[in-house]
Amino acid sequence: MIDKLALRLSQCPARLKFAIWILLLCIISVTGIQLWQGGAKIQSDILAMLPEIQENPLAETALARVEEQLSNTVYIALLAEDEGQAITAAQTLMESLSSGNRDAFVDIRSADLNQAQALNQFYFSHRFNLLTQTQAHALTSGKLNELTQQAQSQLYNAFGYANSGLIANDPLLLYPDNLLALAPKQTLQVQQGILLGQAQKTGTNSNSAEHVAAIVMAKGVGSAFNPNTQELQMAVLQQAFESVRSQNNQIEIIKAGALFHASAATQSAKSEVSSLGLASLIGVSLLVWFAFRSIMPLGIALLTIATSLLSAVVMTLLVFSELHLLTLVFGTSLIGIAIDYNFHFYCERLAQTNKSANDVIRHIFPAITLALLTSVLAYSGIGLAPFPGMQQVAVFCAAGLFGAYITLVLAYPLLASGPLPSGDKPLTMAAAYLTKLNLTSRFLNIKTGMALLLISVILGAFGLYRLTSDDDIRNLQQSPESVLSEEQQLRGILSGGTDNQFLLVRADTEELLLQRLEILAPKLNNAVENGLIGNAFSLSSYLPSKSKQESNYHLQGQIYQQHLAQIIESLGLDDSLSSDLAQAYHTAKGSYIDAESFISSDAGKLFKPLWITPTPLQDEYGTIVLLGGITKIDKLAHFFADQPYVQLVDKVGDISGIMGQYRKLTLWLLAIAMAMAVIIFSTRFGIKLASLVVAVPALSAVLTLSLLGLIGAPLTLFHALALILVFGIGVDYSLFFAESKQQNRGVMMAVFMSACSTILAFGLLAFSSTPAIHSFGLTLLLGIGFTFALSPFIQTFTRTFK
């Protein structure tokens, strides 16, 4: 069937085919322009590459809130020699950010002076429902006199917080301790509205003494992973930093936040797209020039690459409405693959100079068509991965190959019909290489062959035995050391900061949820003591359950209903306070703190994202418990296993688990694709030769895995995806040798040039600073190298199987 199609295409006039190609090119170009004008964009959000995690609606809501808070907030520490310099630098920074572009940052703050006042105003009216653990224990055990003595010490302490207004409403001064208990334990202090901490300066002009660090926070407008947003926010920050340094150049600035990781990733991707793409293009161009010594093959090769890239970009935008930067990085390898069609055409023309361009295309049409089908099949396997980014890579490369294919079939008969210079030298070298291979295989005796086979099997088995796996999603992107060190230093100042993992506590009612938070509180303290986490933040201290408030209210009845006169007398207070205090206590009965009133007040608006109420999509209450300084994430999950209503939400861990599952699935898909290829090829070559054609890339994949094991590189999903391409690209070499059915120096030259271009493209990816891309490129480099070395031996068997 393929031969009949090739015959019909060859009978079609070259000018008509060229006109069809021009029409298709115009349609693709117009479609691309319309897509771009319609809102298609370049995406650099690394999260957009990750698979969707199927969580329950409550967990999805919690994840969205935590990600919004963590991804859009930047933290900046200004290190100075004394408090005065640090405070001045922080005030300058905040003023500069506030006066800058309002589309960059909002909610620029350090310490909130109004927060303490708002908390006092909210809780004071509920003071009869509040008791610290120590106060409750004293009242429960009948030790009211201890509380009275503590109040007396505050009354006669010149530095105490007692005043006439407070005593008139709270004679035992219980409320101040409850208010202090709300603040999380931290080493930071507040001066003039600025958060201050201690830190070591890392600059070259600093000594080893501790310095004062002023903390400033700002919430970015828009996604930190959007390239345009990154550019705007980084420019505003840089201008603000310059304002600070212009006043005091001794100030050291350290920063943390998703913005700085995303910006570094964007810059790295852009740099690699330009550098790797340019290097690949130059390498392929030089390869074409040295082989053919003519401008025309080089020009047509560049045209093939341009058409391939245009088709790839437009089809990706058409399917996804956006193009990820990492897709472009992976896509630079398309240059080395798409040019293969050009190589096979011109090498065949050099070998058969008496044939026209149309005849050559008819001759190689079956091989390049089967090659296209297997490559698309390989990319389809990549497209089945759950990663939108890898799905983009699959569509990008498959569409690009099809663009190169239609250029060869439709445009080459007219554009490449001109004469070629002599290609005797490269063809002679190819023939000599094939001859040496044949001589080697012919004179290799059985004993030597068995010894080499045994050594190969032993090394291969040892490599496979040593092969391990690593599915950690953090391997997708490795931030620069400077960004990581600054973040680590800032975490130290903030006593651990907040991690991406958190606890989600759920319940059917608000009251039950608050009770569960109170049960969880001692468990969190144990986790800190055991070194599992550095800190935790829960709403339990801000939102006591109704039952706890009732208990506290009744315990305070000992003060205001049973012993009030005695207390007033022992403290030397005016007896007239008794009736007012008793009336206030009686009036407060049934007036409880509830979540809705708290988070809607000025005191609780900061904590609103941590509280989740039922919606039409989910009928549960939930609250987020933030964790910081996590050291043992695996043990932490088991630590809360006895509380089924507590869920450790770890998106990184969940996605890593999915990567492991799809790594295994990808290897199974590779085996299925090989079996399907054998069935397809057997219709043309017979089952024996078809099996041999597929065996070459299959053996190359095994050897690649063995070598990865020997060098200690753990197997990841990206290695597995690359192995699919080893098969998809490598089987082309086997196909061309199987099609030749004789010692064909033109095929050898084409395969050599094709392998060189592919190795060049993917070899460059192996030098990427992004671990995922490095793994992908290294696997292709090794796999294609093995395939190139093994595929010529197929000609030894073609005469047997033909």
PDB file of all heavy atoms in Angstrom, residues 167-190:
ATOM      1  N   ILE A 167      -8.149  46.669  86.152  1.00  0.00           N
ATOM      2  CA  ILE A 167      -8.505  46.056  87.436  1.00  0.00           C
ATOM      3  C   ILE A 167     -10.009  46.129  87.672  1.00  0.00           C
ATOM      4  O   ILE A 167     -10.617  45.196  88.203  1.00  0.00           O
ATOM      5  CB  ILE A 167      -7.746  46.770  88.581  1.00  0.00           C
ATOM      6  CG1 ILE A 167      -6.232  46.498  88.442  1.00  0.00           C
ATOM      7  CG2 ILE A 167      -8.243  46.294  89.940  1.00  0.00           C
ATOM      8  CD1 ILE A 167      -5.387  47.315  89.390  1.00  0.00           C
ATOM      9  N   ALA A 168     -10.617  47.230  87.233  1.00  0.00           N
ATOM     10  CA  ALA A 168     -12.054  47.389  87.440  1.00  0.00           C
ATOM     11  C   ALA A 168     -12.864  46.359  86.661  1.00  0.00           C
ATOM     12  O   ALA A 168     -14.006  46.059  87.024  1.00  0.00           O
ATOM     13  CB  ALA A 168     -12.477  48.803  87.040  1.00  0.00           C
ATOM     14  N   ASN A 169     -12.284  45.800  85.609  1.00  0.00           N
ATOM     15  CA  ASN A 169     -12.992  44.807  84.799  1.00  0.00           C
ATOM     16  C   ASN A 169     -12.443  43.390  84.964  1.00  0.00           C
ATOM     17  O   ASN A 169     -13.104  42.421  84.583  1.00  0.00           O
ATOM     18  CB  ASN A 169     -12.911  45.186  83.312  1.00  0.00           C
ATOM     19  CG  ASN A 169     -13.703  46.430  82.992  1.00  0.00           C
ATOM     20  OD1 ASN A 169     -14.922  46.398  82.872  1.00  0.00           O
ATOM     21  ND2 ASN A 169     -12.992  47.567  82.860  1.00  0.00           N
ATOM     22  N   ASP A 170     -11.228  43.290  85.509  1.00  0.00           N
ATOM     23  CA  ASP A 170     -10.556  41.982  85.622  1.00  0.00           C
ATOM     24  C   ASP A 170      -9.668  42.019  86.864  1.00  0.00           C
ATOM     25  O   ASP A 170      -8.445  42.190  86.769  1.00  0.00           O
ATOM     26  CB  ASP A 170      -9.731  41.727  84.360  1.00  0.00           C
ATOM     27  CG  ASP A 170      -9.024  40.379  84.388  1.00  0.00           C
ATOM     28  OD1 ASP A 170      -9.461  39.486  85.125  1.00  0.00           O
ATOM     29  OD2 ASP A 170      -8.027  40.225  83.646  1.00  0.00           O
ATOM     30  N   PRO A 171     -10.265  41.879  88.065  1.00  0.00           N
ATOM     31  CA  PRO A 171      -9.499  42.092  89.303  1.00  0.00           C
ATOM     32  C   PRO A 171      -8.312  41.134  89.469  1.00  0.00           C
ATOM     33  O   PRO A 171      -7.295  41.513  90.056  1.00  0.00           O
ATOM     34  CB  PRO A 171     -10.552  41.874  90.403  1.00  0.00           C
ATOM     35  CG  PRO A 171     -11.650  41.082  89.759  1.00  0.00           C
ATOM     36  CD  PRO A 171     -11.667  41.527  88.330  1.00  0.00           C
ATOM     37  N   LEU A 172      -8.417  39.914  88.966  1.00  0.00           N
ATOM     38  CA  LEU A 172      -7.291  38.976  89.090  1.00  0.00           C
ATOM     39  C   LEU A 172      -6.319  39.062  87.916  1.00  0.00           C
ATOM     40  O   LEU A 172      -5.359  38.293  87.841  1.00  0.00           O
ATOM     41  CB  LEU A 172      -7.817  37.547  89.221  1.00  0.00           C
ATOM     42  CG  LEU A 172      -8.525  37.208  90.545  1.00  0.00           C
ATOM     43  CD1 LEU A 172      -8.900  35.729  90.583  1.00  0.00           C
ATOM     44  CD2 LEU A 172      -7.642  37.548  91.747  1.00  0.00           C
ATOM     45  N   LEU A 173      -6.559  39.995  87.033  1.00  0.00           N
ATOM     46  CA  LEU A 173      -5.654  40.233  85.883  1.00  0.00           C
ATOM     47  C   LEU A 173      -5.405  38.951  85.091  1.00  0.00           C
ATOM     48  O   LEU A 173      -4.261  38.628  84.723  1.00  0.00           O
ATOM     49  CB  LEU A 173      -4.324  40.826  86.379  1.00  0.00           C
ATOM     50  CG  LEU A 173      -4.442  42.135  87.179  1.00  0.00           C
ATOM     51  CD1 LEU A 173      -3.075  42.553  87.703  1.00  0.00           C
ATOM     52  CD2 LEU A 173      -5.031  43.242  86.310  1.00  0.00           C
ATOM     53  N   LEU A 174      -6.470  38.221  84.806  1.00  0.00           N
ATOM     54  CA  LEU A 174      -6.362  36.988  84.026  1.00  0.00           C
ATOM     55  C   LEU A 174      -6.281  37.274  82.520  1.00  0.00           C
ATOM     56  O   LEU A 174      -5.622  36.538  81.778  1.00  0.00           O
ATOM     57  CB  LEU A 174      -7.573  36.084  84.292  1.00  0.00           C
ATOM     58  CG  LEU A 174      -7.822  35.674  85.748  1.00  0.00           C
ATOM     59  CD1 LEU A 174      -9.065  34.795  85.837  1.00  0.00           C
ATOM     60  CD2 LEU A 174      -6.614  34.953  86.320  1.00  0.00           C
ATOM     61  N   TYR A 175      -6.936  38.300  82.091  1.00  0.00           N
ATOM     62  CA  TYR A 175      -7.053  38.566  80.660  1.00  0.00           C
ATOM     63  C   TYR A 175      -5.711  38.832  79.964  1.00  0.00           C
ATOM     64  O   TYR A 175      -5.479  38.305  78.867  1.00  0.00           O
ATOM     65  CB  TYR A 175      -8.008  39.743  80.436  1.00  0.00           C
ATOM     66  CG  TYR A 175      -8.109  40.181  78.994  1.00  0.00           C
ATOM     67  CD1 TYR A 175      -8.700  39.357  78.036  1.00  0.00           C
ATOM     68  CD2 TYR A 175      -7.592  41.410  78.590  1.00  0.00           C
ATOM     69  CE1 TYR A 175      -8.795  39.757  76.712  1.00  0.00           C
ATOM     70  CE2 TYR A 175      -7.681  41.814  77.268  1.00  0.00           C
ATOM     71  CZ  TYR A 175      -8.270  40.992  76.330  1.00  0.00           C
ATOM     72  OH  TYR A 175      -8.352  41.382  75.018  1.00  0.00           O
ATOM     73  N   PRO A 176      -4.785  39.640  80.546  1.00  0.00           N
ATOM     74  CA  PRO A 176      -3.514  39.898  79.846  1.00  0.00           C
ATOM     75  C   PRO A 176      -2.749  38.626  79.493  1.00  0.00           C
ATOM     76  O   PRO A 176      -2.157  38.523  78.416  1.00  0.00           O
ATOM     77  CB  PRO A 176      -2.731  40.773  80.830  1.00  0.00           C
ATOM     78  CG  PRO A 176      -3.791  41.468  81.623  1.00  0.00           C
ATOM     79  CD  PRO A 176      -4.888  40.446  81.780  1.00  0.00           C
ATOM     80  N   ASP A 177      -2.758  37.651  80.402  1.00  0.00           N
ATOM     81  CA  ASP A 177      -2.055  36.402  80.104  1.00  0.00           C
ATOM     82  C   ASP A 177      -2.710  35.650  78.948  1.00  0.00           C
ATOM     83  O   ASP A 177      -2.035  34.999  78.145  1.00  0.00           O
ATOM     84  CB  ASP A 177      -2.020  35.507  81.344  1.00  0.00           C
ATOM     85  CG  ASP A 177      -1.044  36.019  82.395  1.00  0.00           C
ATOM     86  OD1 ASP A 177      -0.147  36.801  82.022  1.00  0.00           O
ATOM     87  OD2 ASP A 177      -1.188  35.647  83.575  1.00  0.00           O
ATOM     88  N   ASN A 178      -4.040  35.724  78.858  1.00  0.00           N
ATOM     89  CA  ASN A 178      -4.733  35.100  77.740  1.00  0.00           C
ATOM     90  C   ASN A 178      -4.400  35.786  76.424  1.00  0.00           C
ATOM     91  O   ASN A 178      -4.255  35.128  75.384  1.00  0.00           O
ATOM     92  CB  ASN A 178      -6.247  35.139  77.972  1.00  0.00           C
ATOM     93  CG  ASN A 178      -6.708  34.079  78.943  1.00  0.00           C
ATOM     94  OD1 ASN A 178      -6.936  32.935  78.580  1.00  0.00           O
ATOM     95  ND2 ASN A 178      -6.827  34.462  80.208  1.00  0.00           N
ATOM     96  N   LEU A 179      -4.274  37.084  76.456  1.00  0.00           N
ATOM     97  CA  LEU A 179      -3.929  37.828  75.247  1.00  0.00           C
ATOM     98  C   LEU A 179      -2.503  37.509  74.808  1.00  0.00           C
ATOM     99  O   LEU A 179      -2.228  37.338  73.606  1.00  0.00           O
ATOM    100  CB  LEU A 179      -4.085  39.330  75.507  1.00  0.00           C
ATOM    101  CG  LEU A 179      -4.237  40.227  74.281  1.00  0.00           C
ATOM    102  CD1 LEU A 179      -5.469  39.844  73.476  1.00  0.00           C
ATOM    103  CD2 LEU A 179      -4.302  41.697  74.685  1.00  0.00           C
ATOM    104  N   LEU A 180      -1.582  37.394  75.765  1.00  0.00           N
ATOM    105  CA  LEU A 180      -0.199  37.046  75.441  1.00  0.00           C
ATOM    106  C   LEU A 180      -0.097  35.639  74.874  1.00  0.00           C
ATOM    107  O   LEU A 180       0.766  35.346  74.047  1.00  0.00           O
ATOM    108  CB  LEU A 180       0.683  37.178  76.683  1.00  0.00           C
ATOM    109  CG  LEU A 180       0.937  38.599  77.197  1.00  0.00           C
ATOM    110  CD1 LEU A 180       1.688  38.564  78.519  1.00  0.00           C
ATOM    111  CD2 LEU A 180       1.730  39.404  76.163  1.00  0.00           C
ATOM    112  N   ALA A 181      -0.987  34.755  75.324  1.00  0.00           N
ATOM    113  CA  ALA A 181      -0.943  33.354  74.869  1.00  0.00           C
ATOM    114  C   ALA A 181      -1.337  33.226  73.404  1.00  0.00           C
ATOM    115  O   ALA A 181      -1.060  32.195  72.767  1.00  0.00           O
ATOM    116  CB  ALA A 181      -1.868  32.502  75.729  1.00  0.00           C
ATOM    117  N   LEU A 182      -2.001  34.254  72.855  1.00  0.00           N
ATOM    118  CA  LEU A 182      -2.395  34.186  71.454  1.00  0.00           C
ATOM    119  C   LEU A 182      -1.211  34.292  70.514  1.00  0.00           C
ATOM    120  O   LEU A 182      -1.220  33.746  69.416  1.00  0.00           O
ATOM    121  CB  LEU A 182      -3.390  35.317  71.132  1.00  0.00           C
ATOM    122  CG  LEU A 182      -4.732  35.281  71.853  1.00  0.00           C
ATOM    123  CD1 LEU A 182      -5.555  36.503  71.479  1.00  0.00           C
ATOM    124  CD2 LEU A 182      -5.492  34.015  71.496  1.00  0.00           C
ATOM    125  N   ALA A 183      -0.186  35.045  70.926  1.00  0.00           N
ATOM    126  CA  ALA A 183       0.961  35.274  70.047  1.00  0.00           C
ATOM    127  C   ALA A 183       1.793  34.009  69.939  1.00  0.00           C
ATOM    128  O   ALA A 183       2.129  33.392  70.949  1.00  0.00           O
ATOM    129  CB  ALA A 183       1.818  36.416  70.586  1.00  0.00           C
ATOM    130  N   PRO A 184       2.140  33.566  68.717  1.00  0.00           N
ATOM    131  CA  PRO A 184       2.987  32.378  68.563  1.00  0.00           C
ATOM    132  C   PRO A 184       4.389  32.637  69.100  1.00  0.00           C
ATOM    133  O   PRO A 184       4.877  33.768  69.076  1.00  0.00           O
ATOM    134  CB  PRO A 184       3.013  32.171  67.038  1.00  0.00           C
ATOM    135  CG  PRO A 184       2.705  33.510  66.461  1.00  0.00           C
ATOM    136  CD  PRO A 184       1.784  34.186  67.428  1.00  0.00           C
ATOM    137  N   LYS A 185       4.979  31.563  69.594  1.00  0.00           N
ATOM    138  CA  LYS A 185       6.333  31.702  70.131  1.00  0.00           C
ATOM    139  C   LYS A 185       7.319  31.971  69.001  1.00  0.00           C
ATOM    140  O   LYS A 185       7.415  31.218  68.051  1.00  0.00           O
ATOM    141  CB  LYS A 185       6.731  30.423  70.868  1.00  0.00           C
ATOM    142  CG  LYS A 185       5.849  30.124  72.082  1.00  0.00           C
ATOM    143  CD  LYS A 185       6.247  28.828  72.750  1.00  0.00           C
ATOM    144  CE  LYS A 185       5.349  28.529  73.942  1.00  0.00           C
ATOM    145  NZ  LYS A 185       5.712  27.254  74.607  1.00  0.00           N
ATOM    146  N   GLN A 186       8.039  33.082  69.104  1.00  0.00           N
ATOM    147  CA  GLN A 186       9.012  33.411  68.074  1.00  0.00           C
ATOM    148  C   GLN A 186      10.085  34.314  68.662  1.00  0.00           C
ATOM    149  O   GLN A 186       9.916  34.898  69.730  1.00  0.00           O
ATOM    150  CB  GLN A 186       8.335  34.107  66.888  1.00  0.00           C
ATOM    151  CG  GLN A 186       7.566  35.355  67.267  1.00  0.00           C
ATOM    152  CD  GLN A 186       6.844  35.960  66.079  1.00  0.00           C
ATOM    153  OE1 GLN A 186       6.735  35.374  65.036  1.00  0.00           O
ATOM    154  NE2 GLN A 186       6.365  37.176  66.255  1.00  0.00           N
ATOM    155  N   THR A 187      11.177  34.407  67.947  1.00  0.00           N
ATOM    156  CA  THR A 187      12.305  35.208  68.429  1.00  0.00           C
ATOM    157  C   THR A 187      12.246  36.636  67.910  1.00  0.00           C
ATOM    158  O   THR A 187      13.123  37.427  68.214  1.00  0.00           O
ATOM    159  CB  THR A 187      13.626  34.565  67.963  1.00  0.00           C
ATOM    160  OG1 THR A 187      13.619  34.481  66.527  1.00  0.00           O
ATOM    161  CG2 THR A 187      13.781  33.172  68.542  1.00  0.00           C
ATOM    162  N   LEU A 188      11.229  36.981  67.142  1.00  0.00           N
ATOM    163  CA  LEU A 188      11.129  38.318  66.578  1.00  0.00           C
ATOM    164  C   LEU A 188      10.555  39.294  67.595  1.00  0.00           C
ATOM    165  O   LEU A 188       9.778  38.927  68.472  1.00  0.00           O
ATOM    166  CB  LEU A 188      10.246  38.309  65.329  1.00  0.00           C
ATOM    167  CG  LEU A 188      10.708  37.413  64.174  1.00  0.00           C
ATOM    168  CD1 LEU A 188       9.710  37.484  63.030  1.00  0.00           C
ATOM    169  CD2 LEU A 188      12.087  37.805  63.692  1.00  0.00           C
ATOM    170  N   GLN A 189      10.930  40.555  67.449  1.00  0.00           N
ATOM    171  CA  GLN A 189      10.380  41.611  68.277  1.00  0.00           C
ATOM    172  C   GLN A 189       9.922  42.754  67.380  1.00  0.00           C
ATOM    173  O   GLN A 189      10.242  42.773  66.184  1.00  0.00           O
ATOM    174  CB  GLN A 189      11.423  42.110  69.283  1.00  0.00           C
ATOM    175  CG  GLN A 189      12.715  42.605  68.626  1.00  0.00           C
ATOM    176  CD  GLN A 189      13.701  43.142  69.640  1.00  0.00           C
ATOM    177  OE1 GLN A 189      13.297  43.764  70.613  1.00  0.00           O
ATOM    178  NE2 GLN A 189      14.986  42.905  69.406  1.00  0.00           N
ATOM    179  N   VAL A 190       9.179  43.683  67.944  1.00  0.00           N
ATOM    180  CA  VAL A 190       8.634  44.792  67.164  1.00  0.00           C
ATOM    181  C   VAL A 190       9.172  46.110  67.713  1.00  0.00           C
ATOM    182  O   VAL A 190       9.098  46.370  68.921  1.00  0.00           O
ATOM    183  CB  VAL A 190       7.088  44.791  67.215  1.00  0.00           C
ATOM    184  CG1 VAL A 190       6.537  45.967  66.409  1.00  0.00           C
ATOM    185  CG2 VAL A 190       6.537  43.479  66.687  1.00  0.00           C
TER     186      VAL A 190
END
